Amino acid sequence: MSHPTHSESAPGHDLHEEGMGEDHGSLRGYLTGFVLASILTIIPFWLVMGHVIESKPLTILLVLALAAVQIVVHMIYFLHLNTKSEHGWNMLAFIFTLVLVVIVLGASLWVMYNENANMMPMSPLYQQQHPVNGP
Amino acid sequence: MNTTAVDINAPGQPVFYTREEVHHNGTLLGFWIYLMSDLFIFASLFACNAVLGTNYAGGPTGSEVFDLPGLAVNTALLLVSSVTFGFAMLEMARKRKRAMLIWLGISGLLAAAFVGLEIHEFATMIAEGAGPQRSAFLSSFFTLVGTHGLHVTVGILWLTVLMVQIGRVGLTEANIRRLRCLSMFWHFLDLVWVGVFSYVYLVGVLR
């Protein structure tokens, strides 16, 4: 009796072509990724080195936004991350890591900002007893 | 014998169909999960830099010590090396060993130039008195960028060993698997570098 749970593909089925669900990319893909990554690299360098925008916070925001876009470009065109490779486990592991990274980065900044803002001011007596020496 | 045999054709029993047999080994997925944990290491170092990045302790600031034209060269080296590694993987898929080894060699040399420039940058900064012990800002800078540089160095070492092995035994299934892991590692390091040059350097100069 044949097992219905098994696939009916030919014995010579090439695991690397389909079974892995992963591709080596294509010349077109790598070149597209390279062009996009180059543009997304040149713009922030130009913004910072050329002092294009007067406002510093706006420049910082733009640089970070472009970096986020470039990371997505690298993920898609260089690391070939998609929902199919390894039956979606790659993507799942990545999303899980991303959630943790956002928690760690966000919480660190939040906690340390408040720590700095609410730090108890030093009394003059304490400052006299513990003079701050330059390194 | 098991007395509670389940008749898979019994009505009401769920029947599962899989499109392909899954019996390849899990190295690639396992390596991906390693990369994710590595990403977490870098994320904590980034968090450290974000928190301590303005604690100059009266020492030099980012705009005083960072060499942006040098950084642009470094960034270009790593990006091109990532693409040439991709070309090597395309040649690997076509089983063209010689062309693949040439592309791998080019990728390795570009990465070596990257590490060389980074060591030069570090040496210059330390000579100027902007070493890792000067301030919290510089400690976090050297830790993050140094960890990345160390990863690239290990990648070059791995690449060299793998090239020798492929030269001796050819493109065996095991070597193809190793190459694909190294390829992920290589592209991953370029991805982390995007965060480094954008946040640590470009934003570091502005704040």
Side-chain angles (χ1 to χ4, degrees):
Chain A
M1 200 177 84
S2 70
H3 285 272
T5 48
H6 280 188
S7 83
E8 291 166 15
S9 59
H13 180 66
D14 190 354
L15 280 174
H16 290 281
E17 280 302 315
E18 202 189 334
M20 294 274 199
E22 189 163 336
D23 60 318
H24 301 281
S26 61
L27 185 63
R28 201 187 162 80
Y30 282 117
L31 290 178
T32 313
F34 178 62
V35 171
L36 286 175
S38 301
I39 294 168
L40 289 165
T41 303
I42 289 165
I43 295 174
F45 269 93
W46 171 67
L47 282 176
V48 173
M49 291 172 81
H51 307 286
V52 181
I53 302 168
E54 199 70 26
S55 154
K56 272 186 181 181
L58 184 63
T59 313
I60 289 176
L61 204 68
L62 274 173
V63 168
L64 292 180
L66 287 164
V69 177
Q70 193 179 348
I71 284 173
V72 174
V73 166
H74 279 242
M75 275 286 175
I76 294 171
Y77 290 101
F78 294 154
L79 278 163
H80 313 302
L81 182 70
N82 55 47
T83 51
K84 288 193 198 74
S85 65
E86 301 279 358
H87 306 276
W89 288 107
N90 277 346
M91 186 57 109
L92 199 68
F94 175 65
I95 292 169
F96 178 64
T97 312
L98 211 60
V99 170
L100 290 182
V101 164
V102 167
I103 291 172
V104 164
L105 280 176
S108 298
L109 284 170
W110 183 38
V111 168
M112 293 313 289
Y113 173 79
N114 282 299
E115 188 112 3
N116 274 333
N118 300 323
M119 196 167 71
M120 198 159 51
M122 280 187 283
S123 68
L125 183 66
Y126 182 89
Q127 281 180 332
Q128 268 178 10
Q129 285 167 347
H130 305 268
V132 180
N133 292 319
Chain B
M1 283 295 289
N2 193 352
T3 52
T4 56
V6 177
D7 183 0
I8 45 174
N9 285 336
Q13 284 290 329
V15 181
F16 299 101
Y17 292 98
T18 52
R19 277 196 67 241
E20 68 263 356
E21 293 181 48
V22 185
H23 49 62
H24 64 268
N25 79 23
T27 307
L28 291 175
L29 180 59
F31 193 76
W32 178 260
I33 288 169
Y34 153 69
L35 286 183
M36 290 300 103
S37 66
D38 221 10
L39 186 62
F40 201 67
I41 290 178
F42 280 111
S44 32
L45 291 176
F46 269 109
C48 196
N49 188 263
V51 168
L52 302 171
T54 49
N55 295 8
Y56 303 118
T61 62
S63 53
E64 285 165 21
V65 288
F66 293 154
D67 166 33
L68 290 188
L71 174 71
V73 174
N74 248 359
T75 305
L77 283 172
L78 210 56
L79 179 60
V80 174
S81 140
S82 205
V83 176
T84 52
F85 205 106
F87 292 163
M89 294 308 283
L90 294 176
E91 297 297 346
M92 184 204 79
R94 291 193 211 120
K95 306 276 176 207
R96 278 158 51 175
K97 193 174 101 177
R98 208 181 126 75
M100 188 203 73
L101 284 174
I102 290 170
W103 282 121
L104 287 181
I106 293 170
S107 311
L109 287 175
L110 288 167
F114 170 87
V115 173
L117 274 174
E118 193 161 81
I119 290 171
H120 174 73
E121 184 200 6
F122 281 10
T124 314
M125 282 175 73
I126 291 168
E128 284 170 353
Q133 286 165 311
R134 182 63 189 82
S135 63
F137 151 66
L138 285 165
S139 302
S140 66
F141 166 82
F142 275 95
T143 312
L144 173 53
V145 182
T147 305
H148 179 271
L150 212 58
H151 274 76
V152 178
T153 312
V154 171
I156 296 168
L157 206 66
W158 184 3
L159 179 75
T160 315
V161 172
L162 206 48
M163 280 175 73
V164 171
Q165 215 172 39
I166 290 165
R168 288 178 66 178
V169 298
L171 275 171
T172 60
E173 198 182 326
N175 276 343
I176 287 175
R177 191 173 64 234
R178 288 163 189 151
L179 261 176
R180 294 174 77 173
C181 287
L182 179 57
S183 160
M184 282 199 274
F185 189 65
W186 208 265
H187 293 308
F188 168 76
L189 290 179
D190 194 20
L191 186 144
V192 171
W193 185 252
V194 174
V196 173
F197 84 74
S198 300
Y199 188 72
V200 176
Y201 285 90
L202 293 181
V203 173
V205 163
L206 292 172
R207 63 189 202 171

Coordinates of all heavy atoms in Angstrom, one line a residue, chain A residues 98-131:
Chain A
L98 N 13.5 40.4 15.1 CA 13.2 41.9 14.9 C 12.4 42.4 16.1 O 12.7 43.5 16.6 CB 12.4 42.0 13.6 CG 12.6 43.3 12.9 CD1 14.1 43.5 12.5 CD2 11.7 43.4 11.7
V99 N 11.4 41.6 16.6 CA 10.6 42.0 17.7 C 11.5 42.2 19.0 O 11.4 43.3 19.6 CB 9.5 41.0 18.0 CG1 8.8 41.3 19.3 CG2 8.5 41.0 16.9
L100 N 12.4 41.3 19.2 CA 13.3 41.4 20.3 C 14.2 42.6 20.2 O 14.5 43.3 21.2 CB 14.2 40.1 20.5 CG 13.4 38.9 21.0 CD1 14.4 37.7 21.1 CD2 12.7 39.1 22.3
V101 N 14.7 42.8 19.0 CA 15.6 43.9 18.7 C 14.9 45.3 19.0 O 15.5 46.1 19.7 CB 16.2 43.9 17.3 CG1 16.8 45.2 16.9 CG2 17.2 42.8 17.2
V102 N 13.7 45.4 18.5 CA 12.9 46.6 18.8 C 12.7 46.8 20.3 O 12.9 47.9 20.8 CB 11.6 46.6 18.0 CG1 10.7 47.7 18.5 CG2 11.8 46.7 16.5
I103 N 12.4 45.8 21.0 CA 12.2 45.9 22.4 C 13.5 46.3 23.1 O 13.5 47.3 23.9 CB 11.7 44.5 23.1 CG1 10.3 44.2 22.6 CG2 11.8 44.6 24.6 CD1 9.8 42.9 22.9
V104 N 14.6 45.7 22.8 CA 15.9 46.0 23.4 C 16.3 47.4 23.1 O 16.7 48.2 24.0 CB 17.0 45.0 23.0 CG1 18.4 45.5 23.3 CG2 16.8 43.7 23.7
L105 N 16.3 47.8 21.8 CA 16.7 49.2 21.4 C 15.8 50.2 22.0 O 16.2 51.2 22.6 CB 16.7 49.3 19.9 CG 17.9 48.7 19.2 CD1 17.8 48.8 17.7 CD2 19.2 49.4 19.6
G106 N 14.5 50.0 21.8 CA 13.5 51.0 22.3 C 13.6 51.1 23.8 O 13.7 52.3 24.3
A107 N 13.6 50.0 24.5 CA 13.6 50.1 26.0 C 14.9 50.7 26.5 O 14.8 51.5 27.5 CB 13.4 48.7 26.6
S108 N 16.0 50.3 25.9 CA 17.3 50.9 26.4 C 17.2 52.4 26.3 O 17.6 53.1 27.2 CB 18.5 50.4 25.5 OG 18.6 49.0 25.6
L109 N 16.8 52.9 25.1 CA 16.8 54.4 24.9 C 15.8 55.0 25.9 O 16.1 56.1 26.5 CB 16.4 54.7 23.5 CG 17.5 54.5 22.5 CD1 17.0 54.6 21.0 CD2 18.6 55.5 22.7
W110 N 14.7 54.4 26.0 CA 13.6 55.0 26.9 C 14.1 55.0 28.3 O 14.0 56.1 29.0 CB 12.3 54.1 26.7 CG 11.2 54.6 27.5 CD1 10.8 55.9 27.7 CD2 10.2 53.8 28.2 NE1 9.6 55.9 28.4 CE2 9.3 54.7 28.7 CE3 10.0 52.4 28.3 CZ2 8.2 54.2 29.5 CZ3 9.0 51.9 29.1 CH2 8.0 52.8 29.6
V111 N 14.6 53.9 28.8 CA 15.0 53.8 30.2 C 16.1 54.7 30.5 O 16.1 55.5 31.4 CB 15.4 52.4 30.6 CG1 16.1 52.3 31.9 CG2 14.2 51.5 30.6
M112 N 17.2 54.7 29.6 CA 18.3 55.5 29.9 C 18.0 57.0 29.7 O 18.6 57.9 30.4 CB 19.5 55.1 28.9 CG 20.0 53.7 29.2 SD 20.4 53.4 30.9 CE 21.8 54.4 31.2
Y113 N 17.1 57.4 28.8 CA 16.7 58.8 28.7 C 16.1 59.3 30.0 O 16.5 60.3 30.5 CB 15.7 59.0 27.5 CG 15.2 60.4 27.5 CD1 15.9 61.4 26.9 CD2 13.9 60.7 28.0 CE1 15.5 62.7 26.9 CE2 13.4 62.0 28.0 CZ 14.2 63.0 27.5 OH 13.7 64.3 27.4
N114 N 15.2 58.5 30.6 CA 14.6 58.8 31.8 C 15.5 58.9 33.0 O 15.5 59.7 33.9 CB 13.4 57.9 32.1 CG 12.2 58.2 31.3 OD1 11.7 59.3 31.4 ND2 11.8 57.4 30.4
E115 N 16.5 57.9 32.9 CA 17.5 57.8 34.0 C 18.3 59.1 34.0 O 18.6 59.7 35.0 CB 18.4 56.7 33.7 CG 19.4 56.4 34.8 CD 19.1 55.1 35.5 OE1 18.1 54.4 35.0 OE2 19.8 54.7 36.4
N116 N 18.7 59.6 32.8 CA 19.5 60.8 32.7 C 18.6 62.0 33.1 O 19.1 62.9 33.9 CB 19.9 61.0 31.2 CG 21.2 60.3 31.0 OD1 22.0 60.1 31.9 ND2 21.4 59.9 29.7
A117 N 17.4 62.0 32.6 CA 16.5 63.2 32.9 C 16.2 63.3 34.4 O 16.1 64.5 34.9 CB 15.3 63.1 32.1
N118 N 16.0 62.2 35.1 CA 15.6 62.2 36.5 C 16.7 62.0 37.5 O 16.4 61.7 38.6 CB 14.5 61.2 36.7 CG 13.3 61.4 35.8 OD1 12.9 62.6 35.5 ND2 12.7 60.4 35.3
M119 N 17.9 62.0 37.0 CA 19.0 61.7 37.9 C 19.1 62.8 39.0 O 18.9 64.0 38.8 CB 20.4 61.7 37.2 CG 21.5 61.0 38.0 SD 22.9 60.7 36.9 CE 23.5 62.4 36.7
M120 N 19.3 62.3 40.2 CA 19.3 63.2 41.4 C 20.5 64.2 41.3 O 21.6 63.7 41.0 CB 19.4 62.4 42.7 CG 19.0 63.2 43.9 SD 18.5 62.1 45.2 CE 19.9 61.0 45.3
P121 N 20.3 65.5 41.4 CA 21.4 66.4 41.3 C 22.4 66.2 42.5 O 21.9 65.9 43.6 CB 20.8 67.8 41.3 CG 19.4 67.6 41.8 CD 19.0 66.1 41.6
M122 N 23.7 66.4 42.3 CA 24.6 66.2 43.3 C 24.7 67.4 44.2 O 24.6 68.5 43.8 CB 26.0 65.9 42.7 CG 26.2 64.5 42.3 SD 27.9 64.2 41.8 CE 27.9 65.0 40.2
S123 N 24.7 67.2 45.6 CA 24.8 68.3 46.5 C 26.2 68.9 46.5 O 27.2 68.2 46.2 CB 24.5 67.8 47.9 OG 25.5 67.0 48.4
P124 N 26.3 70.2 46.8 CA 27.7 70.8 46.8 C 28.6 70.1 47.7 O 29.8 69.9 47.4 CB 27.4 72.2 47.3 CG 26.0 72.4 47.0 CD 25.3 71.1 47.1
L125 N 28.1 69.6 48.9 CA 29.0 68.9 49.9 C 29.5 67.6 49.2 O 30.7 67.3 49.3 CB 28.1 68.5 51.1 CG 28.9 67.8 52.2 CD1 30.0 68.8 52.8 CD2 28.0 67.3 53.3
Y126 N 28.7 66.8 48.5 CA 29.1 65.6 47.9 C 30.2 65.9 46.8 O 31.2 65.2 46.7 CB 27.9 64.9 47.2 CG 28.2 63.6 46.6 CD1 28.2 62.4 47.3 CD2 28.6 63.5 45.2 CE1 28.5 61.2 46.7 CE2 28.9 62.3 44.6 CZ 28.8 61.1 45.4 OH 29.1 59.9 44.8
Q127 N 29.9 67.0 46.1 CA 30.9 67.4 45.1 C 32.3 67.7 45.7 O 33.3 67.4 45.1 CB 30.4 68.5 44.2 CG 29.3 68.1 43.2 CD 28.8 69.2 42.4 OE1 28.8 70.4 42.9 NE2 28.4 69.0 41.2
Q128 N 32.2 68.3 46.9 CA 33.5 68.7 47.5 C 34.2 67.4 48.0 O 35.5 67.4 47.8 CB 33.2 69.6 48.7 CG 33.2 71.1 48.4 CD 32.9 71.9 49.6 OE1 32.8 71.4 50.8 NE2 32.7 73.2 49.4
Q129 N 33.4 66.5 48.5 CA 34.1 65.3 49.0 C 34.6 64.4 47.9 O 35.5 63.6 48.1 CB 33.1 64.5 49.9 CG 32.9 65.2 51.3 CD 31.7 64.6 52.0 OE1 30.9 63.9 51.4 NE2 31.6 64.9 53.3
H130 N 33.9 64.4 46.7 CA 34.3 63.5 45.6 C 34.5 64.4 44.4 O 33.7 64.5 43.5 CB 33.1 62.5 45.3 CG 32.7 61.7 46.5 ND1 33.3 60.5 46.8 CD2 31.9 61.9 47.5 CE1 32.8 60.0 47.9 NE2 31.9 60.9 48.3
P131 N 35.6 65.1 44.3 CA 35.9 65.9 43.2 C 36.0 65.1 41.9 O 36.5 64.0 41.9 CB 37.3 66.6 43.5 CG 37.9 65.7 44.5 CD 36.8 65.0 45.3

